[in-house]
Amino acid sequence: MDYKYIIIGGSAGSFQTVTNILSALPQNYKIPIFLCLHRLKHIRAGFVEALSIKSNIKVVEPDDKEFIRQGKAYLAPANYHMYFELGNFIALSTEPVVNHSRPAIDISFASAAYAFKSKLVGIILSGANKDGAYGLSQVKENGGLTIVQDPKECQVKTMTEAAINATDVDYVYSSEKIIEFLIKINKNI
Amino acid sequence: MLITSEDIEKIIITIQNHSPYDFSGYSIKSFTRRIEKATFDFKLSIDEIIKKIKTDEIFTEKLAKGITVNTTELFRDPKVWHTLRYRVLNKFSENRRINIWHAGSSTGQEVYSMLILLNEMGLLEKANVFASDINTDVLEVAKKGVYNYRFNMEYFDNFNKVIRENPFNYDDYLDVPYSKYFNIEKEKDTISIKDFLKRKVVWLKHDLVNQSNIFDTKFDLILCRNVLIYFNNELQEKVIETFYNSLFRKGVLIIGIHESIIGLMANKFNKSGFVYTKKE
């Protein structure tokens, strides 16, 4: 068990959970975290600042072809898809919306799955559409670990239930258990 | 369908040999995604695509057009336009002329945004505006200047932020009517750009990959947003060099807010966010 990358997807009802996760992780948390979160179309600015307030690790919106470093959380910028290139780079694109979304969780997850294989942990949180279900299946198929937030706990269940239906996921966890797990795997790095 | 890197290499070489296009400097990942999309759109296998590139010029043209990505909107990223208004264009106000090149102008929304802003700043008369794209289909759309109304409500939010509001003083609100620049026909679902703006632009087909400056002039301002992200580092550097050589002294290059110039060319500009000013 040697996980080097974490990717988290969420939509409606996930903001609080993401904030909880980022505030619970210690300042010296090493594993880079990619956040692919839907946001309302007109709220484009201020999201990274809002997430940063309570986060112990640095949250950034990456530039295209930015090198991935430990100890950072990378938030998919509004209105771009976020991809991962072999060679440890992030790539951005303005290709058309997928699942009515840009960034689309399916795109980021499938790309991360292909680039990081068994070194990846994919986590789907609360959300109001089915984006992410395909992406998480790709994480599983490429040997990564799949976690879904317990739908019982989600403000909106659609996204987590779709993910569970599409994939034989490894764990269905409460957000508390997700945090515990993330802290545990960091100790192995 | 699984597309291998050999497939991609074959397609790139075949296109090079049978058309004026060269995609060898494109970022492999995004090129692969576009080819994957083409296999769905044309319902063809990779081998069939390769065969058709060799024999069917019209197909290859269509394929090339489909490979380039066309995303643009009026006043996309209002903070970019605030920067242009208060930190870039204002410096050109004493110029006799302001030459502007929109490279990769797609369907034209960015170009018209610029013209509207110039007009609000009283600089439209001085401006010479050139716009180019590799894809002649999007150039035709740009020339017509007619866009959907229904799915583009954020155009008006953006317009308000850039043209009506003052980011430094929220009490200061200028009620510029939309009808000054657009004919809006809700029943037809269209927003049409007014003629006096359309007349200002010279539209040209231009391929950043293998053409340098074709405009017979240098520029005070070049905008090339969200185009470089589809190129690999070598091609990016080459294109930036074209821009560098096309700028007047102290000319400004604007790239996408999530793009950055890396490598040797970075030293030839003073960078402030996404604003790159040519060093003397």
PDB file of all heavy atoms in Angstrom, chain A residues 9-37:
ATOM      1  N   GLY A   9     -13.356  14.195  -6.031  1.00  0.00           N
ATOM      2  CA  GLY A   9     -14.367  14.831  -6.865  1.00  0.00           C
ATOM      3  C   GLY A   9     -15.630  15.082  -6.069  1.00  0.00           C
ATOM      4  O   GLY A   9     -16.014  14.265  -5.232  1.00  0.00           O
ATOM      5  N   GLY A  10     -16.260  16.216  -6.309  1.00  0.00           N
ATOM      6  CA  GLY A  10     -17.498  16.508  -5.595  1.00  0.00           C
ATOM      7  C   GLY A  10     -18.250  17.624  -6.262  1.00  0.00           C
ATOM      8  O   GLY A  10     -17.735  18.330  -7.116  1.00  0.00           O
ATOM      9  N   SER A  11     -19.510  17.751  -5.845  1.00  0.00           N
ATOM     10  CA  SER A  11     -20.346  18.792  -6.416  1.00  0.00           C
ATOM     11  C   SER A  11     -21.216  19.332  -5.285  1.00  0.00           C
ATOM     12  O   SER A  11     -20.698  19.537  -4.182  1.00  0.00           O
ATOM     13  CB  SER A  11     -21.142  18.198  -7.571  1.00  0.00           C
ATOM     14  OG  SER A  11     -22.019  19.120  -8.118  1.00  0.00           O
ATOM     15  N   ALA A  12     -22.500  19.489  -5.537  1.00  0.00           N
ATOM     16  CA  ALA A  12     -23.378  20.074  -4.512  1.00  0.00           C
ATOM     17  C   ALA A  12     -23.220  19.350  -3.180  1.00  0.00           C
ATOM     18  O   ALA A  12     -23.296  18.128  -3.118  1.00  0.00           O
ATOM     19  CB  ALA A  12     -24.828  19.989  -4.986  1.00  0.00           C
ATOM     20  N   GLY A  13     -22.997  20.111  -2.138  1.00  0.00           N
ATOM     21  CA  GLY A  13     -22.893  19.540  -0.802  1.00  0.00           C
ATOM     22  C   GLY A  13     -21.514  19.034  -0.429  1.00  0.00           C
ATOM     23  O   GLY A  13     -21.326  18.448   0.635  1.00  0.00           O
ATOM     24  N   SER A  14     -20.526  19.251  -1.292  1.00  0.00           N
ATOM     25  CA  SER A  14     -19.191  18.717  -0.993  1.00  0.00           C
ATOM     26  C   SER A  14     -18.253  19.756  -0.397  1.00  0.00           C
ATOM     27  O   SER A  14     -17.217  19.406   0.158  1.00  0.00           O
ATOM     28  CB  SER A  14     -18.557  18.144  -2.261  1.00  0.00           C
ATOM     29  OG  SER A  14     -18.236  19.181  -3.169  1.00  0.00           O
ATOM     30  N   PHE A  15     -18.625  21.027  -0.512  1.00  0.00           N
ATOM     31  CA  PHE A  15     -17.690  22.081  -0.097  1.00  0.00           C
ATOM     32  C   PHE A  15     -17.295  21.932   1.373  1.00  0.00           C
ATOM     33  O   PHE A  15     -16.120  21.995   1.727  1.00  0.00           O
ATOM     34  CB  PHE A  15     -18.301  23.469  -0.350  1.00  0.00           C
ATOM     35  CG  PHE A  15     -17.401  24.594   0.031  1.00  0.00           C
ATOM     36  CD1 PHE A  15     -16.346  24.963  -0.794  1.00  0.00           C
ATOM     37  CD2 PHE A  15     -17.575  25.279   1.233  1.00  0.00           C
ATOM     38  CE1 PHE A  15     -15.489  26.003  -0.427  1.00  0.00           C
ATOM     39  CE2 PHE A  15     -16.725  26.302   1.597  1.00  0.00           C
ATOM     40  CZ  PHE A  15     -15.678  26.669   0.766  1.00  0.00           C
ATOM     41  N   GLN A  16     -18.290  21.686   2.232  1.00  0.00           N
ATOM     42  CA  GLN A  16     -18.013  21.571   3.663  1.00  0.00           C
ATOM     43  C   GLN A  16     -17.113  20.368   3.943  1.00  0.00           C
ATOM     44  O   GLN A  16     -16.189  20.446   4.749  1.00  0.00           O
ATOM     45  CB  GLN A  16     -19.340  21.454   4.435  1.00  0.00           C
ATOM     46  CG  GLN A  16     -19.196  21.645   5.932  1.00  0.00           C
ATOM     47  CD  GLN A  16     -18.493  22.962   6.278  1.00  0.00           C
ATOM     48  OE1 GLN A  16     -18.873  24.023   5.792  1.00  0.00           O
ATOM     49  NE2 GLN A  16     -17.447  22.893   7.101  1.00  0.00           N
ATOM     50  N   THR A  17     -17.378  19.254   3.238  1.00  0.00           N
ATOM     51  CA  THR A  17     -16.565  18.057   3.450  1.00  0.00           C
ATOM     52  C   THR A  17     -15.120  18.305   3.034  1.00  0.00           C
ATOM     53  O   THR A  17     -14.184  17.910   3.732  1.00  0.00           O
ATOM     54  CB  THR A  17     -17.149  16.872   2.640  1.00  0.00           C
ATOM     55  OG1 THR A  17     -18.538  16.789   2.915  1.00  0.00           O
ATOM     56  CG2 THR A  17     -16.463  15.577   2.996  1.00  0.00           C
ATOM     57  N   VAL A  18     -14.952  18.953   1.885  1.00  0.00           N
ATOM     58  CA  VAL A  18     -13.587  19.243   1.426  1.00  0.00           C
ATOM     59  C   VAL A  18     -12.877  20.143   2.436  1.00  0.00           C
ATOM     60  O   VAL A  18     -11.718  19.922   2.792  1.00  0.00           O
ATOM     61  CB  VAL A  18     -13.604  19.903   0.030  1.00  0.00           C
ATOM     62  CG1 VAL A  18     -12.215  20.348  -0.374  1.00  0.00           C
ATOM     63  CG2 VAL A  18     -14.156  18.933  -1.007  1.00  0.00           C
ATOM     64  N   THR A  19     -13.594  21.155   2.918  1.00  0.00           N
ATOM     65  CA  THR A  19     -13.019  22.045   3.931  1.00  0.00           C
ATOM     66  C   THR A  19     -12.632  21.262   5.181  1.00  0.00           C
ATOM     67  O   THR A  19     -11.545  21.461   5.734  1.00  0.00           O
ATOM     68  CB  THR A  19     -14.036  23.151   4.302  1.00  0.00           C
ATOM     69  OG1 THR A  19     -14.483  23.769   3.094  1.00  0.00           O
ATOM     70  CG2 THR A  19     -13.406  24.202   5.180  1.00  0.00           C
ATOM     71  N   ASN A  20     -13.508  20.349   5.595  1.00  0.00           N
ATOM     72  CA  ASN A  20     -13.191  19.531   6.778  1.00  0.00           C
ATOM     73  C   ASN A  20     -11.934  18.702   6.560  1.00  0.00           C
ATOM     74  O   ASN A  20     -11.088  18.593   7.445  1.00  0.00           O
ATOM     75  CB  ASN A  20     -14.353  18.585   7.108  1.00  0.00           C
ATOM     76  CG  ASN A  20     -15.571  19.337   7.617  1.00  0.00           C
ATOM     77  OD1 ASN A  20     -15.472  20.522   7.951  1.00  0.00           O
ATOM     78  ND2 ASN A  20     -16.713  18.665   7.647  1.00  0.00           N
ATOM     79  N   ILE A  21     -11.834  18.111   5.381  1.00  0.00           N
ATOM     80  CA  ILE A  21     -10.666  17.280   5.085  1.00  0.00           C
ATOM     81  C   ILE A  21      -9.400  18.136   5.131  1.00  0.00           C
ATOM     82  O   ILE A  21      -8.427  17.804   5.810  1.00  0.00           O
ATOM     83  CB  ILE A  21     -10.813  16.599   3.705  1.00  0.00           C
ATOM     84  CG1 ILE A  21     -11.925  15.548   3.739  1.00  0.00           C
ATOM     85  CG2 ILE A  21      -9.492  15.957   3.273  1.00  0.00           C
ATOM     86  CD1 ILE A  21     -12.293  14.954   2.388  1.00  0.00           C
ATOM     87  N   LEU A  22      -9.442  19.271   4.423  1.00  0.00           N
ATOM     88  CA  LEU A  22      -8.236  20.103   4.332  1.00  0.00           C
ATOM     89  C   LEU A  22      -7.835  20.662   5.699  1.00  0.00           C
ATOM     90  O   LEU A  22      -6.654  20.869   5.966  1.00  0.00           O
ATOM     91  CB  LEU A  22      -8.453  21.247   3.334  1.00  0.00           C
ATOM     92  CG  LEU A  22      -8.560  20.831   1.859  1.00  0.00           C
ATOM     93  CD1 LEU A  22      -8.889  22.036   0.995  1.00  0.00           C
ATOM     94  CD2 LEU A  22      -7.280  20.160   1.372  1.00  0.00           C
ATOM     95  N   SER A  23      -8.817  20.904   6.567  1.00  0.00           N
ATOM     96  CA  SER A  23      -8.460  21.460   7.873  1.00  0.00           C
ATOM     97  C   SER A  23      -7.994  20.376   8.834  1.00  0.00           C
ATOM     98  O   SER A  23      -7.321  20.662   9.820  1.00  0.00           O
ATOM     99  CB  SER A  23      -9.633  22.240   8.465  1.00  0.00           C
ATOM    100  OG  SER A  23     -10.718  21.372   8.680  1.00  0.00           O
ATOM    101  N   ALA A  24      -8.349  19.117   8.543  1.00  0.00           N
ATOM    102  CA  ALA A  24      -7.960  18.023   9.440  1.00  0.00           C
ATOM    103  C   ALA A  24      -6.575  17.466   9.107  1.00  0.00           C
ATOM    104  O   ALA A  24      -5.926  16.856   9.952  1.00  0.00           O
ATOM    105  CB  ALA A  24      -8.998  16.905   9.371  1.00  0.00           C
ATOM    106  N   LEU A  25      -6.130  17.673   7.884  1.00  0.00           N
ATOM    107  CA  LEU A  25      -4.824  17.138   7.503  1.00  0.00           C
ATOM    108  C   LEU A  25      -3.728  18.007   8.127  1.00  0.00           C
ATOM    109  O   LEU A  25      -3.868  19.217   8.214  1.00  0.00           O
ATOM    110  CB  LEU A  25      -4.670  17.123   5.981  1.00  0.00           C
ATOM    111  CG  LEU A  25      -5.674  16.249   5.227  1.00  0.00           C
ATOM    112  CD1 LEU A  25      -5.428  16.328   3.724  1.00  0.00           C
ATOM    113  CD2 LEU A  25      -5.613  14.801   5.699  1.00  0.00           C
ATOM    114  N   PRO A  26      -2.638  17.366   8.555  1.00  0.00           N
ATOM    115  CA  PRO A  26      -1.574  18.152   9.190  1.00  0.00           C
ATOM    116  C   PRO A  26      -0.818  19.009   8.177  1.00  0.00           C
ATOM    117  O   PRO A  26      -0.832  18.724   6.979  1.00  0.00           O
ATOM    118  CB  PRO A  26      -0.648  17.085   9.775  1.00  0.00           C
ATOM    119  CG  PRO A  26      -0.882  15.882   8.918  1.00  0.00           C
ATOM    120  CD  PRO A  26      -2.322  15.934   8.505  1.00  0.00           C
ATOM    121  N   GLN A  27      -0.173  20.027   8.688  1.00  0.00           N
ATOM    122  CA  GLN A  27       0.556  20.977   7.849  1.00  0.00           C
ATOM    123  C   GLN A  27       1.618  20.293   6.987  1.00  0.00           C
ATOM    124  O   GLN A  27       1.901  20.733   5.885  1.00  0.00           O
ATOM    125  CB  GLN A  27       1.209  22.007   8.762  1.00  0.00           C
ATOM    126  CG  GLN A  27       1.475  23.314   8.083  1.00  0.00           C
ATOM    127  CD  GLN A  27       2.082  24.321   9.054  1.00  0.00           C
ATOM    128  OE1 GLN A  27       2.093  24.117  10.265  1.00  0.00           O
ATOM    129  NE2 GLN A  27       2.582  25.399   8.509  1.00  0.00           N
ATOM    130  N   ASN A  28       2.200  19.227   7.523  1.00  0.00           N
ATOM    131  CA  ASN A  28       3.276  18.548   6.776  1.00  0.00           C
ATOM    132  C   ASN A  28       2.734  17.392   5.931  1.00  0.00           C
ATOM    133  O   ASN A  28       3.476  16.473   5.602  1.00  0.00           O
ATOM    134  CB  ASN A  28       4.356  18.060   7.735  1.00  0.00           C
ATOM    135  CG  ASN A  28       3.801  17.065   8.743  1.00  0.00           C
ATOM    136  OD1 ASN A  28       2.595  16.775   8.748  1.00  0.00           O
ATOM    137  ND2 ASN A  28       4.656  16.538   9.595  1.00  0.00           N
ATOM    138  N   TYR A  29       1.468  17.449   5.585  1.00  0.00           N
ATOM    139  CA  TYR A  29       0.887  16.377   4.761  1.00  0.00           C
ATOM    140  C   TYR A  29       1.565  16.370   3.397  1.00  0.00           C
ATOM    141  O   TYR A  29       1.647  17.396   2.728  1.00  0.00           O
ATOM    142  CB  TYR A  29      -0.627  16.590   4.597  1.00  0.00           C
ATOM    143  CG  TYR A  29      -1.335  15.350   4.119  1.00  0.00           C
ATOM    144  CD1 TYR A  29      -1.693  14.359   5.009  1.00  0.00           C
ATOM    145  CD2 TYR A  29      -1.605  15.172   2.764  1.00  0.00           C
ATOM    146  CE1 TYR A  29      -2.324  13.210   4.583  1.00  0.00           C
ATOM    147  CE2 TYR A  29      -2.237  14.010   2.319  1.00  0.00           C
ATOM    148  CZ  TYR A  29      -2.594  13.032   3.241  1.00  0.00           C
ATOM    149  OH  TYR A  29      -3.200  11.887   2.799  1.00  0.00           O
ATOM    150  N   LYS A  30       2.061  15.203   3.006  1.00  0.00           N
ATOM    151  CA  LYS A  30       2.928  15.176   1.824  1.00  0.00           C
ATOM    152  C   LYS A  30       2.200  14.871   0.515  1.00  0.00           C
ATOM    153  O   LYS A  30       2.533  15.413  -0.532  1.00  0.00           O
ATOM    154  CB  LYS A  30       4.016  14.110   2.016  1.00  0.00           C
ATOM    155  CG  LYS A  30       5.073  14.470   3.033  1.00  0.00           C
ATOM    156  CD  LYS A  30       6.367  13.742   2.697  1.00  0.00           C
ATOM    157  CE  LYS A  30       7.315  13.726   3.895  1.00  0.00           C
ATOM    158  NZ  LYS A  30       7.081  12.554   4.771  1.00  0.00           N
ATOM    159  N   ILE A  31       1.246  13.950   0.572  1.00  0.00           N
ATOM    160  CA  ILE A  31       0.684  13.444  -0.688  1.00  0.00           C
ATOM    161  C   ILE A  31      -0.083  14.555  -1.411  1.00  0.00           C
ATOM    162  O   ILE A  31      -0.960  15.182  -0.814  1.00  0.00           O
ATOM    163  CB  ILE A  31      -0.261  12.249  -0.427  1.00  0.00           C
ATOM    164  CG1 ILE A  31       0.443  11.211   0.454  1.00  0.00           C
ATOM    165  CG2 ILE A  31      -0.717  11.623  -1.736  1.00  0.00           C
ATOM    166  CD1 ILE A  31      -0.452  10.059   0.874  1.00  0.00           C
ATOM    167  N   PRO A  32       0.263  14.829  -2.674  1.00  0.00           N
ATOM    168  CA  PRO A  32      -0.489  15.856  -3.389  1.00  0.00           C
ATOM    169  C   PRO A  32      -1.952  15.450  -3.576  1.00  0.00           C
ATOM    170  O   PRO A  32      -2.256  14.282  -3.807  1.00  0.00           O
ATOM    171  CB  PRO A  32       0.225  15.958  -4.743  1.00  0.00           C
ATOM    172  CG  PRO A  32       1.063  14.741  -4.857  1.00  0.00           C
ATOM    173  CD  PRO A  32       1.337  14.243  -3.477  1.00  0.00           C
ATOM    174  N   ILE A  33      -2.835  16.432  -3.438  1.00  0.00           N
ATOM    175  CA  ILE A  33      -4.274  16.184  -3.527  1.00  0.00           C
ATOM    176  C   ILE A  33      -4.837  17.001  -4.691  1.00  0.00           C
ATOM    177  O   ILE A  33      -4.595  18.204  -4.789  1.00  0.00           O
ATOM    178  CB  ILE A  33      -4.978  16.608  -2.226  1.00  0.00           C
ATOM    179  CG1 ILE A  33      -4.402  15.826  -1.044  1.00  0.00           C
ATOM    180  CG2 ILE A  33      -6.491  16.414  -2.327  1.00  0.00           C
ATOM    181  CD1 ILE A  33      -4.891  16.305   0.309  1.00  0.00           C
ATOM    182  N   PHE A  34      -5.570  16.348  -5.567  1.00  0.00           N
ATOM    183  CA  PHE A  34      -6.219  17.061  -6.677  1.00  0.00           C
ATOM    184  C   PHE A  34      -7.705  17.183  -6.366  1.00  0.00           C
ATOM    185  O   PHE A  34      -8.342  16.192  -6.008  1.00  0.00           O
ATOM    186  CB  PHE A  34      -6.023  16.306  -7.988  1.00  0.00           C
ATOM    187  CG  PHE A  34      -4.589  15.990  -8.257  1.00  0.00           C
ATOM    188  CD1 PHE A  34      -4.127  14.679  -8.200  1.00  0.00           C
ATOM    189  CD2 PHE A  34      -3.677  16.999  -8.534  1.00  0.00           C
ATOM    190  CE1 PHE A  34      -2.786  14.388  -8.412  1.00  0.00           C
ATOM    191  CE2 PHE A  34      -2.340  16.712  -8.752  1.00  0.00           C
ATOM    192  CZ  PHE A  34      -1.900  15.409  -8.689  1.00  0.00           C
ATOM    193  N   LEU A  35      -8.205  18.375  -6.500  1.00  0.00           N
ATOM    194  CA  LEU A  35      -9.620  18.627  -6.206  1.00  0.00           C
ATOM    195  C   LEU A  35     -10.333  19.002  -7.485  1.00  0.00           C
ATOM    196  O   LEU A  35      -9.977  19.974  -8.145  1.00  0.00           O
ATOM    197  CB  LEU A  35      -9.745  19.782  -5.200  1.00  0.00           C
ATOM    198  CG  LEU A  35      -9.032  19.580  -3.861  1.00  0.00           C
ATOM    199  CD1 LEU A  35      -8.986  20.906  -3.097  1.00  0.00           C
ATOM    200  CD2 LEU A  35      -9.743  18.519  -3.039  1.00  0.00           C
ATOM    201  N   CYS A  36     -11.315  18.184  -7.845  1.00  0.00           N
ATOM    202  CA  CYS A  36     -12.113  18.512  -9.024  1.00  0.00           C
ATOM    203  C   CYS A  36     -13.534  18.721  -8.532  1.00  0.00           C
ATOM    204  O   CYS A  36     -14.264  17.767  -8.262  1.00  0.00           O
ATOM    205  CB  CYS A  36     -12.028  17.370 -10.036  1.00  0.00           C
ATOM    206  SG  CYS A  36     -12.785  17.817 -11.587  1.00  0.00           S
ATOM    207  N   LEU A  37     -13.904  19.969  -8.358  1.00  0.00           N
ATOM    208  CA  LEU A  37     -15.182  20.304  -7.732  1.00  0.00           C
ATOM    209  C   LEU A  37     -15.997  21.172  -8.671  1.00  0.00           C
ATOM    210  O   LEU A  37     -15.501  22.155  -9.206  1.00  0.00           O
ATOM    211  CB  LEU A  37     -14.935  21.062  -6.419  1.00  0.00           C
ATOM    212  CG  LEU A  37     -13.984  20.367  -5.422  1.00  0.00           C
ATOM    213  CD1 LEU A  37     -13.668  21.300  -4.260  1.00  0.00           C
ATOM    214  CD2 LEU A  37     -14.589  19.070  -4.904  1.00  0.00           C
TER     215      LEU A  37
END
